[in-house]
Amino acid sequence: MRLPTLLTVGLAASVHAQVEMDRLMRLKTDHWNSMRAQGVFNRYNNARLGNATPVPCVNGKSGPYSCDKVDMLSFLSHSQLGSSTKEGNDIWGWTSPDGREFGAVGQTDGTAFVEIDKTGALKYVGRLPTQTVSSPWRDMKVVNGYVYIGSEARDHGLQVFDMRKLLSVKGSPRTFNISNDLTAWYRGFGSSHNIVAHKEKNMVYAVGTSRSSSCKGGLFMLDVSNPANPTSPGCVSQDGYVHDAQCVVYNGPDTQYLGKEICFNYNEDTLTIVDVTNKPSPRQISRTPYVGSAYTHQGWLTSTSDMSFLLLDDELDEQDGTGVAANGRTTTYIFNITTLASPLNTGYYQSPVKSIDHNQYTKDGLSYQSNYNSGLRIVDVRSVEADPTGKGFKQVGFFDVHPEDDAEGGVVEFSGSWSVYPYFKSGYILLNSIERGVFALKYTG
């Protein structure tokens, strides 16, 4: 008996997506192995590279780094942050009830914690080692003062750590114990690729877990109302593997979904929108491919107060030369989502330089993009309502943490910055570099 056509197409798409994810991870691993063989991580993690005083952006330079309207306030290398592997990945932030600002800095062998003081100076506070083994992929988000940490490391599960512990650290940095200092170690899944937080609803979603599980690598739901005992009320598996997502209480123009919990999923080859209000029975609203797709990676709403548009980044389009990204310049895809059942790709924005995009987050009409070799790129996207083609988008600032390719106008490879955190009330920005360390920056535009 032949499978129904739609099921056959769906299975073929799922297999193709897995092949592309395996290829993407292999490309990265090969590149990082080459960097290790060349001694790159050791060279860039010399303790003397740390900056204790600000280095303003003057005439397009902040020390060795090209820049525009972004000052470097402080820098700490991964070795200064206690990492033996000296390799970084994701980053997120937390503000204590009394206004102190902290960063959780992902590294292959654990998570380092830094505090940003009132002047923008970074202080290494402590670290939490990996739960099992090292992995280049580690991701974290914060809900109500607890940081939830997942990794592609074998059997890692989810570390739950109370960041309020950092408030009492005095003197030397503290290495926290993975048994005694965790609020919980959730083992309902082994490895994961990303962690998604919906703090308004005390929900965490682990994505990119095992494809062979019943969840198929989709949204693995965790109710963290009690951080000491996370529980899973359900899973979103209809469209298979989710690479990253943003979940919100919807207040956009599609009135039938007002007040609903909606997740915008970046599903390897599509933008997939799901209503997760009813946790045991989530409902897929739409699944939208786009021209130029190579590997749908991540994205963010342009505004959480309007929810009419979102920005999507594809991690292989520049590498593979698909569609408009054939010129190698970082390409951001714009989607009109005024009707959740039928999103429309209305245009795109391209960076002035060549680079692969990785993660972006929006705040007050600006997209803070972490674009591998070209570092932090700040793009004004406020024109999207008037002109959704992206022609009005404009780069308004940048800080390039990988100066080695500046003379070439950028190179399409997996070095440089991994992610950015732009949400501190102080305006300080944290940027985590793969081969160097964490930068504290300030946009002056």
Side-chain angles (χ1 to χ4, degrees):
M1 179 183 296
R2 294 179 59 188
L3 290 170
T5 302
L6 286 176
L7 180 57
T8 303
V9 171
L11 288 171
S14 177
V15 171
H16 174 72
Q18 180 173 354
V19 169
E20 289 303 287
M21 178 58 167
D22 291 344
R23 180 170 71 91
L24 175 59
M25 294 180 78
R26 187 170 60 252
L27 285 169
K28 291 182 178 183
T29 300
D30 289 347
H31 180 67
W32 297 331
N33 283 339
S34 175
M35 291 171 67
R36 293 184 194 106
Q38 296 172 49
V40 170
F41 295 103
N42 286 327
R43 183 164 67 251
Y44 292 147
N45 273 269
N46 188 315
R48 291 173 296 177
L49 290 175
N51 281 71
T53 57
V55 184
C57 180
V58 178
N59 297 324
K61 286 290 184 179
S62 171
Y65 304 108
S66 296
C67 58
D68 178 37
K69 300 185 185 71
V70 178
D71 292 339
M72 177 169 61
L73 303 180
S74 185
F75 168 81
L76 290 174
S77 70
H78 289 302
S79 61
Q80 289 176 294
L81 296 175
S83 173
S84 59
T85 57
K86 307 171 186 175
E87 302 172 23
N89 41 59
D90 200 49
I91 195 162
W92 206 248
W94 171 67
T95 302
S96 70
D98 62 354
R100 293 170 66 182
E101 296 177 338
F102 294 86
V105 183
Q107 298 167 328
T108 60
D109 53 351
T111 303
F113 300 109
V114 296
E115 181 172 7
I116 310 96
D117 72 14
K118 298 299 183 182
T119 69
L122 290 167
K123 178 185 177 183
Y124 173 37
V125 180
R127 64 181 292 103
L128 180 68
T130 182
Q131 197 66 30
T132 54
V133 297
S134 294
S135 168
W137 289 273
R138 189 171 308 278
D139 199 79
M140 64 284 296
K141 296 295 185 294
V142 176
V143 177
N144 294 330
Y146 294 89
V147 60
Y148 296 84
I149 306 169
S151 174
E152 286 279 7
R154 184 185 67 252
D155 299 326
H156 186 277
L158 187 73
Q159 294 174 309
V160 184
F161 178 78
D162 187 349
M163 293 190 73
R164 282 166 284 256
K165 288 179 178 286
L166 305 176
L167 300 176
S168 60
V169 175
K170 307 294 182 185
S172 300
R174 176 180 170 187
T175 297
F176 294 96
N177 187 283
I178 60 173
S179 298
N180 300 332
D181 287 316
L182 288 181
T183 301
W185 177 26
Y186 181 81
R187 284 167 277 186
F189 58 84
S191 64
S192 61
H193 198 78
N194 277 310
I195 301 299
V196 178
H198 189 184
K199 61 183 180 181
E200 293 83 359
K201 291 296 181 178
N202 287 313
M203 289 295 298
V204 164
Y205 299 88
V207 299
T209 57
S210 173
R211 294 178 191 264
S212 62
S213 69
S214 59
C215 198
K216 300 178 183 177
L219 291 176
F220 189 108
M221 302 177 182
L222 283 172
D223 183 334
V224 295
S225 300
N226 179 4
N229 185 33
T231 58
S232 180
C235 170
V236 176
S237 60
Q238 293 96 321
D239 194 32
Y241 189 97
V242 177
H243 190 275
D244 210 338
Q246 180 184 11
C247 299
V248 299
V249 175
Y250 184 75
N251 64 346
D254 199 340
T255 56
Q256 64 181 310
Y257 295 105
L258 285 174
K260 300 288 188 180
E261 294 175 52
I262 303 298
C263 289
F264 300 91
N265 299 342
Y266 301 91
N267 281 23
E268 302 193 290
D269 55 3
T270 62
L271 165 65
T272 301
I273 303 176
V274 181
D275 182 347
V276 297
T277 310
N278 183 352
K279 301 297 185 294
S281 301
R283 186 173 73 85
Q284 183 170 301
I285 301 171
S286 60
R287 181 180 187 276
T288 307
Y290 54 96
V291 175
S293 164
Y295 191 84
T296 311
H297 181 262
Q298 188 261 358
W300 213 250
L301 295 167
T302 58
S303 168
T304 53
S305 61
D306 177 72
M307 300 188 181
S308 294
F309 292 88
L310 63 74
L311 308 175
L312 177 152
D313 47 74
D314 188 301
E315 199 174 5
L316 276 177
D317 56 347
E318 296 91 3
Q319 176 87 25
D320 290 354
T322 59
V324 295
N327 58 13
R329 290 163 56 194
T330 314
T331 302
T332 303
Y333 300 86
I334 304 164
F335 280 80
N336 181 322
I337 51 169
T338 52
T339 302
L340 297 183
S342 54
L344 180 65
N345 178 201
T346 58
Y348 61 90
Y349 163 79
Q350 287 198 308
S351 170
V353 296
K354 294 181 179 180
S355 184
I356 300 171
D357 37 11
H358 201 221
N359 291 299
Q360 64 180 314
Y361 300 99
T362 60
K363 177 184 177 184
D364 299 333
L366 301 178
S367 176
Y368 293 80
Q369 302 186 346
S370 175
N371 292 342
Y372 281 114
N373 279 29
S374 65
L376 172 67
R377 299 282 156 166
I378 303 175
V379 182
D380 187 334
V381 301
R382 288 174 291 183
S383 64
V384 69
E385 295 274 356
D387 181 5
T389 66
K391 291 180 181 178
F393 284 19
K394 181 182 179 182
Q395 179 175 284
V396 293
F398 74 89
F399 191 92
D400 188 337
V401 299
H402 188 81
E404 289 79 6
D405 63 354
D406 287 2
E408 303 172 63
V411 172
V412 175
E413 62 183 19
F414 301 103
S415 306
S417 64
W418 185 288
S419 197
V420 59
Y421 183 79
Y423 295 117
F424 288 126
K425 186 177 180 180
S426 64
Y428 298 144
I429 301 163
L430 290 180
L431 188 73
N432 197 8
S433 159
I434 297 170
E435 66 268 26
R436 282 177 163 86
V438 61
F439 294 80
L441 308 171
K442 184 69 178 281
Y443 174 53
T444 60

